[in-house]
Amino acid sequence: MNRLKTGLTVSILTLSFSALALFGIGEDEKEPTAEVVKTAEECEIPAFAKAIGHEDQWLLHNGCPPREDKDAKKEDSK
């Protein structure tokens, strides 16, 4: 009976590790490709996000590039 339990345990562990390797669980995230980059029209901030002051959060959540900081532009022009 002990051999059966040991064999079953080894089989389950082997299958678990094989599934992890097969499906790539734990792989590092890949860099976004050109296909993932959204167009300016897709990244237009909706009025509700502007109304509550969450423009930057909306862009981040929807995979858009961050907008340029207006304060940094003013300092550069001085």
Side-chain angles (χ1 to χ4, degrees):
M1 191 63 150
N2 258 350
R3 285 187 176 194
L4 181 62
K5 287 181 183 178
T6 304
L8 185 60
T9 304
V10 169
S11 298
I12 290 172
L13 288 174
T14 303
L15 290 173
S16 299
F17 288 127
S18 299
L20 288 175
L22 180 65
F23 295 114
I25 298 174
E27 287 184 7
D28 294 338
E29 292 183 19
K30 297 179 182 177
E31 293 294 322
T33 60
E35 297 172 3
V36 177
V37 176
K38 296 193 174 196
T39 64
E41 185 177 296
E42 293 174 324
C43 289
E44 185 176 338
I45 301 169
F48 75 87
K50 291 178 184 177
I52 62 174
H54 284 208
E55 295 94 340
D56 294 325
Q57 290 89 343
W58 187 90
L59 291 171
L60 179 66
H61 177 77
N62 288 291
C64 297
R67 58 190 176 146
E68 295 178 11
D69 191 9
K70 294 177 182 177
D71 295 332
K73 285 184 177 180
K74 289 179 184 177
E75 290 176 9
D76 291 340
S77 63
K78 289 183 180 180

